[in-house]
Protein backbone atom coordinates (compact mmCIF):
# COMPACT_ATOMS: atom_id res chain seq x y z
CA UNK A 1 0.00 0.00 0.00
CA UNK A 2 1.48 3.37 -1.00
CA UNK A 3 1.09 6.41 1.22
CA UNK A 4 -1.15 7.86 -1.49
CA UNK A 5 -3.89 5.24 -1.70
CA UNK A 6 -5.84 2.75 0.38
CA UNK A 7 -7.25 -0.50 -1.01
CA UNK A 8 -10.91 -1.45 -0.48
CA UNK A 9 -11.98 -5.01 -1.16
CA UNK A 10 -15.68 -5.82 -1.50
CA UNK A 11 -16.00 -9.29 0.09
CA UNK A 12 -19.27 -9.80 -1.77
CA UNK A 13 -17.62 -9.72 -5.21
CA UNK A 14 -13.93 -10.00 -4.34
CA UNK A 15 -13.38 -6.75 -6.27
CA UNK A 16 -10.62 -4.48 -4.91
CA UNK A 17 -10.45 -0.77 -5.74
CA UNK A 18 -7.94 1.97 -4.96
CA UNK A 19 -9.06 4.83 -2.72
CA UNK A 20 -6.86 7.93 -3.17
CA UNK A 21 -5.66 9.74 -0.02
CA UNK A 22 -6.30 13.50 -0.25
CA UNK A 23 -3.72 15.32 1.87
CA UNK A 24 -3.88 18.90 3.18
CA UNK A 25 -1.30 21.18 4.80
CA UNK A 26 -2.29 20.17 8.34
CA UNK A 27 -4.59 17.53 9.82
CA UNK A 28 -5.67 14.05 8.75
CA UNK A 29 -5.91 13.09 5.06
CA UNK A 30 -9.25 12.37 3.40
CA UNK A 31 -10.09 9.08 1.71
CA UNK A 32 -11.51 9.75 -1.75
CA UNK A 33 -14.76 7.74 -1.96
CA UNK A 34 -16.59 9.59 -4.75
CA UNK A 35 -16.22 6.61 -7.10
CA UNK A 36 -17.28 3.78 -4.76
CA UNK A 37 -20.91 3.81 -5.90
CA UNK A 38 -19.83 3.51 -9.54
CA UNK A 39 -17.21 0.82 -8.75
CA UNK A 40 -18.91 -1.16 -5.97
CA UNK A 41 -22.58 -0.16 -6.11
CA UNK A 42 -22.49 1.01 -2.49
CA UNK A 43 -22.58 4.43 -0.72
CA UNK A 44 -20.35 5.66 2.08
CA UNK A 45 -22.56 6.06 5.16
CA UNK A 46 -21.78 8.72 7.81
CA UNK A 47 -24.88 10.35 9.39
CA UNK A 48 -23.90 13.59 11.16
CA UNK A 49 -20.64 13.59 9.16
CA UNK A 50 -18.52 12.34 12.07
CA UNK A 51 -15.72 11.26 9.68
CA UNK A 52 -16.58 13.12 6.48
CA UNK A 53 -14.64 16.00 4.93
CA UNK A 54 -17.08 17.80 2.63
CA UNK A 55 -14.54 20.01 0.85
CA UNK A 56 -11.01 21.37 0.81
CA UNK A 57 -10.59 24.81 2.34
CA UNK A 58 -7.74 27.29 2.94
CA UNK A 59 -9.58 29.36 5.52
CA UNK A 60 -9.61 27.83 9.02
CA UNK A 61 -7.86 24.90 10.67
CA UNK A 62 -8.95 23.21 13.90
CA UNK A 63 -7.01 20.55 15.80
CA UNK A 64 -9.66 19.25 18.20
CA UNK A 65 -7.29 17.07 20.18
CA UNK A 66 -4.80 19.89 20.84
CA UNK A 67 -7.40 22.67 21.08
CA UNK A 68 -5.81 24.62 18.20
CA UNK A 69 -7.70 27.14 16.02
CA UNK A 70 -5.94 28.93 13.12
CA UNK A 71 -7.46 31.56 10.81
CA UNK A 72 -5.43 31.42 7.56
CA UNK A 73 -2.60 29.93 9.68
CA UNK A 74 -2.63 32.56 12.44
CA UNK A 75 -3.38 31.24 15.99
CA UNK A 76 -6.62 32.61 17.41
CA UNK A 77 -4.81 33.59 20.61
CA UNK A 78 -2.47 35.93 18.69
CA UNK A 79 -5.29 37.44 16.65
CA UNK A 80 -7.45 38.01 19.75
CA UNK A 81 -4.55 39.74 21.48
CA UNK A 82 -3.22 41.85 18.59
CA UNK A 83 -5.79 42.15 15.79
CA UNK A 84 -9.24 43.67 15.28
CA UNK A 85 -12.45 42.18 13.91
CA UNK A 86 -12.33 44.21 10.71
CA UNK A 87 -8.71 43.08 10.12
CA UNK A 88 -9.69 39.45 10.80
CA UNK A 89 -12.58 39.87 8.35
CA UNK A 90 -10.06 40.99 5.70
CA UNK A 91 -7.78 38.05 6.57
CA UNK A 92 -10.59 35.51 6.30
CA UNK A 93 -11.85 36.95 3.00
CA UNK A 94 -8.53 37.55 1.26
CA UNK A 95 -6.13 35.10 2.94
CA UNK A 96 -3.43 37.55 4.07
CA UNK A 97 -3.08 40.21 6.74
CA UNK A 98 -3.68 43.63 5.11
CA UNK A 99 -1.19 46.48 4.85
CA UNK A 100 -2.23 49.66 6.66
CA UNK A 101 -3.55 51.11 3.40
CA UNK A 102 -5.47 47.91 2.50
CA UNK A 103 -6.99 47.80 5.98
CA UNK A 104 -8.10 51.45 5.84
CA UNK A 105 -9.59 50.96 2.35
CA UNK A 106 -11.43 47.83 3.53
CA UNK A 107 -12.69 49.54 6.70
CA UNK A 108 -14.04 52.48 4.67
CA UNK A 109 -15.57 50.13 2.10
CA UNK A 110 -17.45 48.16 4.76
CA UNK A 111 -18.61 51.29 6.59
CA UNK A 112 -19.83 52.67 3.24
CA UNK A 113 -22.35 49.82 3.04
CA UNK A 114 -23.73 49.92 6.61
CA UNK A 115 -27.03 51.65 5.75
CA UNK A 116 -30.02 49.54 4.71
CA UNK A 117 -32.64 50.53 2.15
CA UNK A 118 -35.32 52.57 3.92
CA UNK A 119 -37.99 50.29 2.39
CA UNK A 120 -36.35 47.31 4.07
CA UNK A 121 -37.28 48.80 7.45
CA UNK A 122 -40.92 47.99 6.72
CA UNK A 123 -40.12 44.30 7.20
CA UNK A 124 -39.45 44.98 10.89
CA UNK A 125 -42.93 46.41 11.41
CA UNK A 126 -44.44 43.17 10.11
CA UNK A 127 -43.26 41.34 13.25
CA UNK A 128 -44.80 41.46 16.71
CA UNK A 129 -42.63 43.59 19.04
CA UNK A 130 -41.71 40.44 20.99
CA UNK A 131 -40.62 38.39 17.97
CA UNK A 132 -37.43 36.43 18.66
CA UNK A 133 -34.59 38.44 17.08
CA UNK A 134 -33.25 35.37 15.27
CA UNK A 135 -36.62 34.92 13.53
CA UNK A 136 -36.44 38.57 12.43
CA UNK A 137 -32.82 38.11 11.30
CA UNK A 138 -33.69 35.12 9.11
CA UNK A 139 -36.50 37.10 7.48
CA UNK A 140 -34.87 40.48 7.05
CA UNK A 141 -31.42 39.23 5.96
CA UNK A 142 -33.14 36.92 3.48
CA UNK A 143 -35.13 39.88 2.15
CA UNK A 144 -31.86 41.56 1.08
CA UNK A 145 -32.02 39.22 -1.94
CA UNK A 146 -35.09 41.18 -3.07
CA UNK A 147 -33.08 44.43 -3.04
CA UNK A 148 -29.95 43.34 -4.88
CA UNK A 149 -31.04 40.50 -7.15
CA UNK A 150 -30.42 42.68 -10.24
CA UNK A 151 -26.80 43.37 -9.26
CA UNK A 152 -25.85 39.90 -8.09
CA UNK A 153 -24.44 37.93 -10.98
CA UNK A 154 -22.78 35.23 -8.91
CA UNK A 155 -20.67 34.21 -11.92
CA UNK A 156 -19.01 37.65 -11.65
CA UNK A 157 -16.27 37.72 -8.95
CA UNK A 158 -16.74 41.48 -8.49
CA UNK A 159 -20.48 41.02 -7.82
CA UNK A 160 -19.69 38.22 -5.37
CA UNK A 161 -17.23 40.48 -3.54
CA UNK A 162 -19.75 43.35 -3.34
CA UNK A 163 -22.39 40.96 -1.93
CA UNK A 164 -19.88 39.81 0.70
CA UNK A 165 -19.09 43.41 1.69
CA UNK A 166 -22.80 44.31 1.83
CA UNK A 167 -23.53 41.37 4.12
CA UNK A 168 -20.64 42.09 6.52
CA UNK A 169 -21.71 45.75 6.62
CA UNK A 170 -25.49 45.39 6.85
CA UNK A 171 -25.94 42.45 9.20
CA UNK A 172 -25.02 44.56 12.30
CA UNK A 173 -27.48 47.28 11.20
CA UNK A 174 -30.24 44.69 10.81
CA UNK A 175 -29.22 43.02 14.10
CA UNK A 176 -29.50 46.32 15.99
CA UNK A 177 -32.87 46.80 14.28
CA UNK A 178 -34.07 43.50 15.80
CA UNK A 179 -33.15 44.78 19.25
CA UNK A 180 -34.86 48.13 18.66
CA UNK A 181 -38.01 46.27 17.52
CA UNK A 182 -38.06 44.36 20.82
CA UNK A 183 -37.42 47.58 22.77
CA UNK A 184 -40.04 49.60 20.90
CA UNK A 185 -37.36 52.19 20.12
CA UNK A 186 -36.58 53.80 16.75
CA UNK A 187 -33.77 52.27 14.69
CA UNK A 188 -30.55 54.31 14.83
CA UNK A 189 -28.64 55.13 11.64
CA UNK A 190 -25.03 53.93 11.39
CA UNK A 191 -22.38 56.48 12.41
CA UNK A 192 -19.54 55.81 10.01
CA UNK A 193 -16.94 57.75 11.99
CA UNK A 194 -17.13 54.96 14.59
CA UNK A 195 -15.37 51.58 14.48
CA UNK A 196 -17.27 48.50 13.31
CA UNK A 197 -18.04 47.47 16.91
CA UNK A 198 -18.49 51.05 18.12
CA UNK A 199 -21.01 51.58 15.33
CA UNK A 200 -22.91 48.47 16.37
CA UNK A 201 -22.98 49.48 20.05
CA UNK A 202 -24.25 52.91 19.00
CA UNK A 203 -27.02 51.43 16.81
CA UNK A 204 -28.00 49.13 19.69
CA UNK A 205 -27.95 51.43 22.69
CA UNK A 206 -28.15 55.04 21.43
CA UNK A 207 -31.52 56.82 21.37
CA UNK A 208 -32.39 59.93 19.31
CA UNK A 209 -33.03 62.11 22.35
CA UNK A 210 -29.58 62.02 23.95
CA UNK A 211 -25.89 61.63 23.17
CA UNK A 212 -24.30 58.21 23.39
CA UNK A 213 -20.66 57.62 24.25
CA UNK A 214 -19.17 54.27 23.14
CA UNK A 215 -17.45 52.57 26.10
CA UNK A 216 -13.94 51.64 24.86
CA UNK A 217 -13.80 48.52 27.05
CA UNK A 218 -17.16 47.30 25.71
CA UNK A 219 -15.94 48.09 22.17
CA UNK A 220 -12.73 46.08 22.69
CA UNK A 221 -14.52 43.18 24.41
CA UNK A 222 -17.00 42.99 21.53
CA UNK A 223 -14.20 43.19 18.98
CA UNK A 224 -12.49 40.19 20.58
CA UNK A 225 -15.76 38.23 20.88
CA UNK A 226 -16.50 38.87 17.21
CA UNK A 227 -12.98 37.72 16.22
CA UNK A 228 -13.41 34.52 18.23
CA UNK A 229 -16.78 33.78 16.61
CA UNK A 230 -15.81 34.75 13.05
CA UNK A 231 -15.17 31.30 11.58
CA UNK A 232 -14.89 27.64 12.52
CA UNK A 233 -14.36 25.53 9.34
CA UNK A 234 -17.32 23.28 8.40
CA UNK A 235 -19.63 23.84 11.40
CA UNK A 236 -23.34 23.22 10.85
CA UNK A 237 -24.24 26.76 9.74
CA UNK A 238 -21.23 27.19 7.46
CA UNK A 239 -21.93 23.79 5.91
CA UNK A 240 -25.52 25.01 5.42
CA UNK A 241 -24.34 28.13 3.62
CA UNK A 242 -22.09 26.03 1.36
CA UNK A 243 -24.90 23.58 0.69
CA UNK A 244 -27.37 26.34 -0.19
CA UNK A 245 -24.76 28.16 -2.27
CA UNK A 246 -23.80 24.99 -4.16
CA UNK A 247 -27.01 25.26 -6.21
CA UNK A 248 -26.11 28.83 -7.26
CA UNK A 249 -28.63 30.36 -4.86
CA UNK A 250 -28.64 34.09 -4.08
CA UNK A 251 -25.90 34.88 -1.50
CA UNK A 252 -28.24 36.81 0.81
CA UNK A 253 -30.62 33.83 0.87
CA UNK A 254 -27.65 31.53 1.61
CA UNK A 255 -26.63 33.62 4.62
CA UNK A 256 -30.26 33.59 5.82
CA UNK A 257 -30.04 29.78 5.68
CA UNK A 258 -26.85 29.95 7.76
CA UNK A 259 -28.62 32.13 10.34
CA UNK A 260 -31.44 29.58 10.53
CA UNK A 261 -29.00 26.74 11.19
CA UNK A 262 -27.01 28.76 13.75
CA UNK A 263 -30.19 29.37 15.78
CA UNK A 264 -30.40 25.75 16.95
CA UNK A 265 -29.50 25.14 20.65
CA UNK A 266 -27.01 22.45 19.59
CA UNK A 267 -25.11 25.15 17.69
CA UNK A 268 -25.10 28.94 18.07
CA UNK A 269 -28.33 28.94 20.06
CA UNK A 270 -26.35 27.36 22.91
CA UNK A 271 -25.14 30.75 24.21
CA UNK A 272 -28.74 31.75 24.93
CA UNK A 273 -29.44 28.27 26.35
CA UNK A 274 -26.41 28.53 28.67
CA UNK A 275 -27.75 31.66 30.35
CA UNK A 276 -31.17 30.07 30.77
CA UNK A 277 -29.50 26.95 32.21
CA UNK A 278 -27.43 29.02 34.68
CA UNK A 279 -30.54 30.97 35.72
CA UNK A 280 -32.42 27.68 36.18
CA UNK A 281 -29.61 26.15 38.27
CA UNK A 282 -29.55 29.38 40.26
CA UNK A 283 -27.37 28.18 43.14
CA UNK A 284 -24.09 26.28 43.49
CA UNK A 285 -25.85 23.77 45.73
CA UNK A 286 -28.12 22.76 42.84
CA UNK A 287 -25.21 21.95 40.49
CA UNK A 288 -24.90 18.23 41.41
CA UNK A 289 -28.57 17.68 40.55
CA UNK A 290 -28.12 19.18 37.05
CA UNK A 291 -24.86 17.31 36.49
CA UNK A 292 -26.68 14.10 37.39
CA UNK A 293 -29.41 14.92 34.87
CA UNK A 294 -26.80 15.63 32.16
CA UNK A 295 -25.24 12.21 32.83
CA UNK A 296 -28.53 10.32 32.86
CA UNK A 297 -28.93 8.47 29.56
CA UNK A 298 -32.70 8.45 30.08
CA UNK A 299 -32.78 12.22 30.45
CA UNK A 300 -32.30 14.29 27.24
CA UNK A 301 -30.97 17.15 29.39
CA UNK A 302 -27.48 18.35 28.47
CA UNK A 303 -25.14 20.90 29.99
CA UNK A 304 -25.40 23.69 27.46
CA UNK A 305 -22.08 25.23 26.47
CA UNK A 306 -20.34 21.89 27.09
CA UNK A 307 -19.00 19.42 24.55
CA UNK A 308 -18.04 19.82 20.94
CA UNK A 309 -17.98 17.67 17.82
CA UNK A 310 -14.37 18.61 17.07
CA UNK A 311 -12.77 19.90 20.31
CA UNK A 312 -11.91 17.02 22.62
CA UNK A 313 -9.88 19.50 24.61
CA UNK A 314 -10.64 22.93 26.03
CA UNK A 315 -12.09 25.18 23.28
CA UNK A 316 -9.36 27.85 22.91
CA UNK A 317 -12.05 30.46 22.39
CA UNK A 318 -13.73 29.60 25.71
CA UNK A 319 -10.42 30.08 27.51
CA UNK A 320 -10.02 33.58 26.06
CA UNK A 321 -13.64 34.54 26.72
CA UNK A 322 -13.40 33.35 30.34
CA UNK A 323 -10.43 35.66 30.88
CA UNK A 324 -12.29 38.63 29.33
CA UNK A 325 -15.23 37.95 31.66
CA UNK A 326 -13.08 38.85 34.66
CA UNK A 327 -11.97 42.10 32.99
CA UNK A 328 -15.43 43.22 31.86
CA UNK A 329 -17.13 42.32 35.14
CA UNK A 330 -14.49 44.15 37.17
CA UNK A 331 -14.99 47.24 34.99
CA UNK A 332 -18.67 47.06 35.85
CA UNK A 333 -17.96 47.10 39.54
CA UNK A 334 -17.85 43.47 40.49
CA UNK A 335 -18.73 39.96 39.50
CA UNK A 336 -21.91 38.35 38.24
CA UNK A 337 -23.37 35.54 40.37
CA UNK A 338 -24.02 33.60 37.16
CA UNK A 339 -20.31 33.88 36.27
CA UNK A 340 -19.36 32.50 39.68
CA UNK A 341 -21.90 29.73 39.12
CA UNK A 342 -20.46 29.00 35.65
CA UNK A 343 -16.92 28.78 37.05
CA UNK A 344 -18.07 26.35 39.76
CA UNK A 345 -20.08 24.28 37.25
CA UNK A 346 -17.01 24.01 35.01
CA UNK A 347 -14.83 22.98 37.96
CA UNK A 348 -17.24 20.25 39.08
CA UNK A 349 -17.91 18.95 35.56
CA UNK A 350 -14.24 18.81 34.60
CA UNK A 351 -13.56 16.61 37.61
CA UNK A 352 -16.40 14.23 36.86
CA UNK A 353 -15.54 10.91 35.19
CA UNK A 354 -18.49 11.17 32.77
CA UNK A 355 -17.21 14.44 31.29
CA UNK A 356 -13.56 13.42 31.44
CA UNK A 357 -14.23 10.10 29.67
CA UNK A 358 -16.20 11.83 26.91
CA UNK A 359 -13.75 14.76 26.69
CA UNK A 360 -16.51 17.29 27.30
CA UNK A 361 -15.12 20.77 27.92
CA UNK A 362 -16.66 24.25 27.92
CA UNK A 363 -17.09 25.52 24.37
CA UNK A 364 -17.28 29.01 22.90
CA UNK A 365 -20.88 29.40 24.08
CA UNK A 366 -20.28 28.67 27.75
CA UNK A 367 -18.98 32.07 28.86
CA UNK A 368 -19.87 34.42 26.00
CA UNK A 369 -23.32 35.18 27.39
CA UNK A 370 -21.82 36.42 30.67
CA UNK A 371 -20.05 39.16 28.75
CA UNK A 372 -23.01 40.00 26.53
CA UNK A 373 -25.13 40.33 29.67
CA UNK A 374 -22.55 42.63 31.25
CA UNK A 375 -22.64 44.78 28.08
CA UNK A 376 -26.42 45.11 28.39
CA UNK A 377 -27.29 42.72 25.57
CA UNK A 378 -30.51 40.77 26.36
CA UNK A 379 -30.38 36.95 26.33
CA UNK A 380 -32.57 36.63 23.23
CA UNK A 381 -29.96 38.66 21.28
CA UNK A 382 -27.00 36.40 22.18
CA UNK A 383 -27.24 34.22 19.06
CA UNK A 384 -27.71 37.34 16.94
CA UNK A 385 -24.30 38.48 18.23
CA UNK A 386 -22.89 35.14 17.10
CA UNK A 387 -24.52 35.61 13.67
CA UNK A 388 -22.96 39.07 13.20
CA UNK A 389 -19.48 37.64 13.67
CA UNK A 390 -20.06 34.40 11.79
CA UNK A 391 -21.34 36.28 8.73
CA UNK A 392 -17.65 36.90 7.96
CA UNK A 393 -16.89 33.16 8.01
CA UNK A 394 -20.01 32.33 6.04
CA UNK A 395 -19.24 34.78 3.23
CA UNK A 396 -15.54 33.74 3.20
CA UNK A 397 -16.56 30.10 2.67
CA UNK A 398 -19.21 31.08 0.11
CA UNK A 399 -16.62 33.09 -1.86
CA UNK A 400 -14.12 30.20 -1.65
CA UNK A 401 -16.70 27.68 -2.86
CA UNK A 402 -17.99 29.89 -5.69
CA UNK A 403 -14.44 30.52 -6.94
CA UNK A 404 -13.73 26.76 -7.13
CA UNK A 405 -13.84 25.71 -10.81
CA UNK A 406 -14.66 22.12 -9.72
CA UNK A 407 -17.57 23.21 -7.50
CA UNK A 408 -20.60 20.89 -7.80
CA UNK A 409 -24.10 21.01 -6.35
CA UNK A 410 -24.16 19.19 -2.99
CA UNK A 411 -26.52 16.25 -3.47
CA UNK A 412 -26.04 13.49 -0.85
CA UNK A 413 -27.71 10.05 -1.23
CA UNK A 414 -29.42 7.95 1.49
CA UNK A 415 -29.97 4.44 2.76
CA UNK A 416 -33.67 3.79 2.01
CA UNK A 417 -35.48 2.01 4.85
CA UNK A 418 -39.08 2.52 3.73
CA UNK A 419 -41.55 -0.03 2.25
CA UNK A 420 -40.52 -2.08 -0.80
CA UNK A 421 -42.55 -1.42 -3.95
CA UNK A 422 -46.25 -2.20 -3.53
CA UNK A 423 -49.43 -1.62 -5.57
CA UNK A 424 -52.06 1.08 -4.99
CA UNK A 425 -55.18 -0.10 -3.12
CA UNK A 426 -58.42 1.61 -4.25
CA UNK A 427 -60.26 3.35 -1.39
CA UNK A 428 -63.21 0.96 -1.37
CA UNK A 429 -60.86 -2.02 -0.96
CA UNK A 430 -58.89 -0.69 1.96
CA UNK A 431 -59.27 -2.13 5.41
CA UNK A 432 -58.07 -0.55 8.71
CA UNK A 433 -55.01 -2.88 8.73
CA UNK A 434 -53.80 -1.72 5.25
C1 LIG B 1 -21.06 25.57 18.62
O1 LIG B 1 -19.22 22.72 15.02
C2 LIG B 1 -18.77 23.86 15.48
O2 LIG B 1 -17.65 24.24 15.24
C3 LIG B 1 -19.74 24.67 16.32
C4 LIG B 1 -19.20 25.92 16.97
C5 LIG B 1 -18.83 26.97 15.94
O3 LIG B 1 -18.00 27.85 16.28
O4 LIG B 1 -19.43 26.98 14.87
O5 LIG B 1 -18.06 25.61 17.75
C6 LIG B 1 -20.24 26.57 17.89
O6 LIG B 1 -22.08 25.19 18.13
C7 LIG B 1 -20.55 25.00 19.93
C8 LIG B 1 -21.46 23.87 20.49
C9 LIG B 1 -22.63 24.52 21.19
N1 LIG B 1 -23.60 23.51 21.64
C10 LIG B 1 -23.77 23.18 22.91
O7 LIG B 1 -23.10 23.64 23.84
C11 LIG B 1 -24.93 22.22 23.18
C12 LIG B 1 -24.48 21.14 24.18
N2 LIG B 1 -23.50 20.29 23.55
C13 LIG B 1 -23.98 19.20 22.77
O8 LIG B 1 -25.27 18.97 22.53
C14 LIG B 1 -22.94 18.41 22.03
O9 LIG B 1 -21.82 18.37 22.79
C15 LIG B 1 -22.62 18.91 20.64
C16 LIG B 1 -23.85 19.04 19.82
C17 LIG B 1 -21.93 20.23 20.72
C18 LIG B 1 -21.70 17.88 20.00
O10 LIG B 1 -22.42 16.71 19.88
P1 LIG B 1 -21.78 15.39 19.18
O11 LIG B 1 -20.41 15.67 18.68
O12 LIG B 1 -22.79 14.86 18.21
O13 LIG B 1 -21.56 14.45 20.39
P2 LIG B 1 -22.63 13.40 20.91
O14 LIG B 1 -23.96 14.05 21.00
O15 LIG B 1 -22.49 12.15 20.11
O16 LIG B 1 -22.11 13.16 22.42
C19 LIG B 1 -21.10 12.20 22.70
C20 LIG B 1 -21.39 11.77 24.16
C21 LIG B 1 -22.84 11.30 24.34
O17 LIG B 1 -22.82 10.43 25.44
P3 LIG B 1 -22.86 8.80 25.18
O18 LIG B 1 -23.98 8.54 24.21
O19 LIG B 1 -21.48 8.49 24.60
O20 LIG B 1 -23.08 8.21 26.54
O21 LIG B 1 -21.24 12.92 25.01
C22 LIG B 1 -22.50 13.24 25.61
C23 LIG B 1 -23.56 12.56 24.77
O22 LIG B 1 -24.71 12.28 25.56
N3 LIG B 1 -22.61 14.70 25.59
C24 LIG B 1 -23.10 15.42 26.60
C25 LIG B 1 -22.99 16.76 26.18
N4 LIG B 1 -22.48 16.81 24.95
C26 LIG B 1 -22.24 15.52 24.58
N5 LIG B 1 -23.60 15.06 27.80
C27 LIG B 1 -24.00 16.07 28.60
N6 LIG B 1 -23.94 17.40 28.27
C28 LIG B 1 -23.44 17.77 27.07
N7 LIG B 1 -23.38 19.06 26.73
Amino acid sequence: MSDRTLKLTDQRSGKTIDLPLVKGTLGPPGIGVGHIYRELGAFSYDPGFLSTASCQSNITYIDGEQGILLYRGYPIEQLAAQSTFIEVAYLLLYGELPTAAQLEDFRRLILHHTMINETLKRFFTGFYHDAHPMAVMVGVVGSLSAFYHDSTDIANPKHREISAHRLIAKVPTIAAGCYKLNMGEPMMYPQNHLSYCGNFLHMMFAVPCEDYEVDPLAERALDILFMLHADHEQNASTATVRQAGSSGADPFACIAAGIASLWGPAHGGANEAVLKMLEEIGDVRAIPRYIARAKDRDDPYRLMGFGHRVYKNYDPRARIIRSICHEVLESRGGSDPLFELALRLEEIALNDEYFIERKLYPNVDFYSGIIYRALGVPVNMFTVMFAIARTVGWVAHWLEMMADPDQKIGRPRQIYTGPAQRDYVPLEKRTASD
Side-chain angles (χ1 to χ4, degrees), residues 50 62 232 235-236 265-268 270 294 297 301-309 312 315 317 354-355 358 360 363-365 386 390:
L50 288 151
I62 304 172
H232 216 235
N235 59 87
H267 187 16
R297 274 183 167 283
Y301 182 82
R302 291 195 161 183
L303 281 194
M304 300 318 281
F306 258 79
H308 199 278
R309 171 61 61 76
K312 301 309 170 190
D315 184 330
R317 302 168 296 175
Y354 173 93
F355 293 87
R358 291 165 179 79
L360 302 176
N363 59 51
V364 70
D365 292 310
F386 198 147
R390 189 51 58 89

Side-chain angles (χ1 to χ4, degrees), residues 33-152:
V33 294
H35 58 304
I36 65 171
Y37 177 56
R38 186 181 65 246
E39 299 286 340
L40 301 178
F43 297 136
S44 67
Y45 180 59
D46 183 16
F49 310 124
L50 288 151
S51 299
T52 293
S54 60
C55 63
Q56 296 187 43
S57 176
N58 302 328
I59 300 173
T60 292
Y61 174 70
I62 304 172
D63 180 328
E65 297 306 323
Q66 303 299 318
I68 291 171
L69 171 57
L70 308 177
Y71 287 168
R72 299 285 190 177
Y74 295 100
I76 193 66
E77 295 82 0
Q78 293 182 25
L79 292 169
Q82 303 175 63
S83 186
T84 61
F85 179 64
I86 204 75
E87 180 176 79
V88 162
Y90 183 99
L91 173 66
L92 288 169
L93 257 61
Y94 298 108
E96 297 297 336
L97 289 170
T99 62
Q102 288 168 330
L103 180 58
E104 183 52 20
D105 288 348
F106 182 67
R107 193 187 70 82
R108 286 179 190 280
L109 189 68
I110 294 298
L111 287 174
H112 179 74
H113 285 291
T114 48
M115 282 179 68
I116 56 176
N117 188 302
E118 285 293 309
T119 315
L120 202 138
K121 291 184 177 178
R122 289 185 202 150
F123 286 98
F124 288 95
T125 56
F127 292 94
Y128 278 147
H129 75 282
D130 61 350
H132 193 288
M134 281 299 279
V136 183
M137 284 288 285
V138 171
V140 179
V141 171
S143 74
L144 287 170
S145 16
F147 287 81
Y148 300 109
H149 59 81
D150 57 344
S151 61
T152 309

Side-chain angles (χ1 to χ4, degrees), residues 84-86 107 110-111 114 172 190-203 214-216 218-220 222-223 226:
T84 61
F85 179 64
I86 204 75
R107 193 187 70 82
I110 294 298
L111 287 174
T114 48
Q191 295 297 314
N192 291 345
H193 65 282
L194 297 172
S195 71
Y196 187 90
C197 290
N199 204 4
F200 174 69
L201 288 168
H202 176 269
M203 290 189 287
V214 174
D215 169 1
E219 188 177 17
R220 181 61 188 154
L222 203 51
D223 207 54
F226 281 177

